Amino acid sequence: FIFHQTKRKMVKMISMMMVMICAVAVVDAALSISNTLGSHMVLQRAPYLPLIYGTADPAASIKVSFNSQAYAATVDSNGSWNVTLAPTPAGGPFNIDVTSSSGETASLEDVLFGDVWLCGGQSNMQFTVIQAYNASVEVANANNYPNIRLFSVGQGTQSTTPLTQLSTIDLPWSVSSNITVGAAAWSHFSAVCWFFGKDLYDRDNTVPIGLISSNWGGTYIEQWSSTAALAVCNSAPIPGITSSGLYNAMIVPFLKTSILGAIWYQGESNSIAPNPANYDCQQQAMINDWRAGWGYDFAFIITQLAPWVDVTHSLIVAQIRELQMGALKLPKVGLATAIDLGDVSSPDGNIHPRNKQEVGRRLSLVADSIVYERSDTWLGPIYKSWATAMDESTAVVNVTFFIGGNIGPLQVTETTCPDGVDSKCCSNFQFLFSDGTWWPASTAKLIAEDTVQMTVSDVLKGESVIGVAYAYSIWPLVTIYSATTGLPAYPFII
């Protein structure tokens, strides 16, 4: 009797548990809007067609009301639905109301239409405003930008398979303020992302800006690339990391969100990867693959790595900077260099320079040119050619730069290797001689608006210059600038 009573109780408990599980299943199937969206967000303005999407019971039909228009959708067998809104010019705020045929409702409030940018990469993109120069003033100033809206993905999830929802969110869509911009270090908000967006808004405050910060310190490009992109370059797995793990968890959930473009600050980790020479292929493959995932060629703007001194004193970081420029072969790809923004005394390590204001400004200059077509002042001087002559034991080398468009004439400055950096890590111009040795040059002298001249003395008889490099070192000594734009010449090795 006791056994049967106990058995009946167990059956009753199991039945109650099944009811609870079923109830959870019903809740899971309830109407919801994707967690990549939210009140206070910015949707991409016309001519783009923004999507509102989410989940609901597969048996339900969905109605979306926006701007005095109604849109209908059906829920697929996986419980997903999406609605394409009409192209909407910059402005707002709007409310977007969603209703299911079962009577459930959801809404997005205070939605603006403007330009949406994704900010990706590793720790120099994660580096927050509170860590940057002049942090207290910058944080307080954020209260003056209510039409810049922020979203920050949390760093808690990697996945071996593509996810449809974000598993971790650090900051849901929010209005810019001293609170949302000035949270704790390494939390929110990304300094490069913020200064980039703020500079864009300062140039045209009629267009709201939406900024999505999705980055993770110490990560490799392999983690941000899909398996298809990695296959293009025959990328081998890196021990201890999940290839495609961050792409699946932190990029794929946004593929339905229309964006105007992406800014990218990454590559430091790949300087210590097993095959850094593969970076050019990997970066181009990732860009092409992201664009395929979104379905259009959005703008992609790269940050060329700033100086830092690692424990190995490896020149591979100079190679990564060179390889980063390979993506400029792709359409609507730009590059902002940070090679003159080293910060040897940064409290967060010299790999993390604090002058993120200038990084953001330079990235915004690129956007102004390749996206908004408001100006064409994003380029510094670009290597064009070199010529050499021998004068007894002295080599004379002239290097000519392309200064067309708005680059303007060259400006030559002086700089030295900073205290705390081994002089072996610093270089300006160097010349490769026929005996295979590299020699540093004298200070560059401007001999024409596009040409600088250097000399190397005490050259052995019979030797000649067969190659030239500029700022190709761990800690570049940058001395060549555009007198018009104030931007530095890009490093090169020939």
Side-chain angles (χ1 to χ4, degrees):
F1 175 77
I2 294 174
F3 170 79
H4 288 295
Q5 286 284 85
T6 304
K7 185 176 181 182
R8 280 196 293 270
K9 289 181 180 178
M10 290 176 65
V11 170
K12 186 175 181 181
M13 288 175 64
I14 292 171
S15 299
M16 290 176 66
M17 289 174 64
M18 291 300 294
V19 169
M20 290 174 66
I21 291 170
C22 291
V24 170
V26 170
V27 171
D28 285 346
L31 174 66
S32 69
I33 299 172
S34 170
N35 64 1
T36 60
L37 310 176
S39 295
H40 315 299
M41 76 175 302
V42 173
L43 288 171
Q44 184 57 45
R45 61 172 167 154
Y48 291 80
L49 300 170
L51 282 178
I52 304 299
Y53 51 97
T55 58
D57 191 312
S61 58
I62 301 296
K63 176 185 174 183
V64 175
S65 300
F66 162 69
N67 201 18
S68 302
Q69 297 185 61
Y71 302 83
T74 55
V75 184
D76 66 21
S77 58
N78 295 318
S80 298
W81 59 269
N82 65 76
V83 163
T84 303
L85 302 182
T88 304
F94 298 95
N95 286 352
I96 300 173
D97 299 312
V98 184
T99 306
S100 76
S101 55
S102 61
E104 296 168 304
T105 61
S107 63
L108 302 174
E109 300 177 348
D110 184 34
V111 174
L112 303 179
F113 280 77
D115 290 337
V116 181
W117 288 85
L118 177 73
C119 308
Q122 55 179 105
S123 58
N124 269 307
M125 187 63 85
Q126 181 187 351
F127 189 97
T128 42
V129 175
I130 201 69
Q131 297 167 274
Y133 282 138
N134 209 23
S136 59
V137 173
E138 299 288 5
V139 168
N141 190 36
N143 291 317
N144 298 318
Y145 293 87
N147 284 347
I148 299 179
R149 306 297 175 86
L150 313 174
F151 187 100
S152 188
V153 181
Q155 297 179 343
T157 305
Q158 300 192 46
S159 177
T160 57
T161 58
L163 303 181
T164 57
Q165 293 265 35
L166 296 169
S167 295
T168 48
I169 295 174
D170 182 57
L171 179 73
W173 280 106
S174 302
V175 177
S176 296
S177 71
N178 63 310
I179 303 300
T180 57
V181 168
W186 306 112
S187 175
H188 57 263
F189 194 71
S190 161
V192 169
C193 191
W194 168 252
F195 293 125
F196 167 79
K198 184 174 76 70
D199 284 351
L200 291 181
Y201 187 80
D202 283 341
R203 293 190 191 103
D204 184 357
N205 62 13
T206 67
V207 179
I209 297 292
L211 300 173
I212 300 169
S213 175
S214 185
N215 37 72
W216 195 320
T219 54
Y220 298 81
I221 198 168
E222 288 85 349
Q223 295 169 270
W224 297 100
S225 303
S226 72
T227 54
L230 294 175
V232 170
C233 304
N234 296 315
S235 300
I238 296 176
I241 74 160
T242 304
S243 294
S244 306
L246 300 181
Y247 170 79
N248 290 331
M250 299 176 70
I251 299 299
V252 171
F254 289 104
L255 293 183
K256 290 182 179 180
T257 300
S258 295
I259 61 173
L260 187 61
I263 61 173
W264 179 249
Y265 197 151
Q266 193 278 331
E268 297 93 339
S269 288
N270 282 89
S271 70
I272 58 170
N275 187 14
N278 210 25
Y279 192 83
D280 181 18
C281 178
Q282 291 173 316
Q283 184 175 243
Q284 292 191 53
M286 185 194 75
I287 293 169
N288 287 331
D289 186 73
W290 281 24
R291 288 172 165 179
W294 261 277
Y296 57 95
D297 286 355
F298 55 81
F300 196 97
I301 308 174
I302 299 158
T303 308
Q304 190 173 46
L305 300 182
W308 91 92
V309 182
D310 65 16
V311 293
T312 64
H313 287 186
S314 172
L315 262 178
I316 294 175
V317 64
Q319 181 185 16
I320 293 291
R321 291 191 194 105
E322 179 188 17
L323 296 174
Q324 286 182 303
M325 298 182 71
L328 294 174
K329 295 189 284 283
L330 300 177
K332 293 185 73 174
V333 171
L335 180 141
T337 186
I339 61 166
D340 59 335
L341 300 178
D343 183 4
V344 71
S345 60
S346 171
D348 293 293
N350 66 70
I351 196 172
H352 300 123
R354 287 167 286 180
N355 189 1
K356 295 299 194 277
Q357 290 91 333
E358 181 62 11
V359 177
R361 187 186 77 88
R362 292 180 183 181
L363 289 164
S364 72
L365 290 176
V366 182
D368 262 1
S369 177
I370 70 173
V371 179
Y372 296 100
E373 299 180 351
R374 293 189 285 234
S375 69
D376 189 22
T377 57
W378 66 278
L379 289 169
I382 303 167
Y383 166 79
K384 184 177 182 181
S385 63
W386 69 280
T388 184
M390 291 296 299
D391 180 12
E392 296 183 355
S393 63
T394 299
V396 179
V397 181
N398 295 338
V399 178
T400 300
F401 290 82
F402 175 77
I403 60 170
N406 289 325
I407 298 175
L410 301 180
Q411 179 182 19
V412 179
T413 64
E414 294 185 10
T415 189
T416 58
C417 198
D419 292 342
V421 177
D422 190 326
S423 61
K424 297 175 185 177
C425 299
C426 299
S427 76
N428 180 241
F429 279 98
Q430 298 181 83
F431 302 116
L432 176 63
F433 282 81
S434 49
D435 65 353
T437 60
W438 284 93
W439 286 44
S442 65
T443 301
K445 178 177 67 174
L446 194 63
I447 62 171
E449 67 174 6
D450 63 348
T451 304
V452 294
Q453 184 177 87
M454 287 76 57
T455 59
V456 177
S457 302
D458 301 322
V459 178
L460 295 176
K461 186 176 181 180
E463 295 295 339
S464 60
V465 178
I466 62 172
V468 59
Y470 168 72
Y472 197 87
S473 62
I474 295 169
W475 199 282
L477 298 180
V478 180
T479 57
I480 308 299
Y481 286 82
S482 160
T484 302
T485 67
L487 296 173
Y490 301 99
F492 64 86
I493 184 167
I494 303 296

